[in-house]
Amino acid sequence: MNACSLADDAGDATAAHDANALLHQLLVTASHNHALGEIMSPILFRVQWLVRQIPNPHTVSHDHHEFVEAIAAGDGELAESLAREHAERNRTTTLEAMFGAG
């Protein structure tokens, strides 16, 4: 069982936020993409802060589970599609949490 699942099962929002932030860090590391690492390094704490603005972190866990399953299955095309959808959905959610519904 992974950290996201444990946090979801426990209903622990703080643990869910922590697991979400950790997943993003692990993805950058696992990518072995030096440029991505250099881009993310100075903004890591800002990204983590943004993740914590999502009112219900458990709603993003579903996306993470699907994304990890696609990676594990070797389906890069699906993983990319899921990552793009996840980013767009959470951009909208974060902006609404910060500035209210438009």
Side-chain angles (χ1 to χ4, degrees), residues 8-74:
D8 286 341
D9 291 348
D12 184 340
T14 299
H17 281 304
D18 291 345
N20 290 340
L22 178 60
L23 176 64
H24 290 123
Q25 287 177 321
L26 290 173
L27 289 171
V28 171
T29 301
S31 76
H32 300 288
N33 183 323
H34 185 69
L36 179 60
E38 286 184 351
I39 291 167
M40 291 302 296
S41 181
I43 63 170
L44 182 61
F45 292 110
R46 289 181 182 173
V47 170
Q48 290 175 353
W49 179 86
L50 283 171
V51 167
R52 292 178 191 285
Q53 303 314 300
I54 297 170
N56 182 356
H58 304 289
T59 61
V60 300
S61 295
H62 177 73
D63 290 355
H64 288 173
H65 295 298
E66 285 187 336
F67 182 69
V68 169
E69 287 175 11
I71 292 171

Side-chain angles (χ1 to χ4, degrees), residues 24 54 59-67 70 75-94:
H24 290 123
I54 297 170
T59 61
V60 300
S61 295
H62 177 73
D63 290 355
H64 288 173
H65 295 298
E66 285 187 336
F67 182 69
D75 191 339
E77 191 173 303
L78 177 59
E80 178 183 356
S81 174
L82 291 169
R84 288 179 186 275
E85 291 171 11
H86 175 73
E88 181 59 30
R89 186 171 28 262
N90 287 298
R91 180 187 69 81
T92 301
T93 302
T94 301

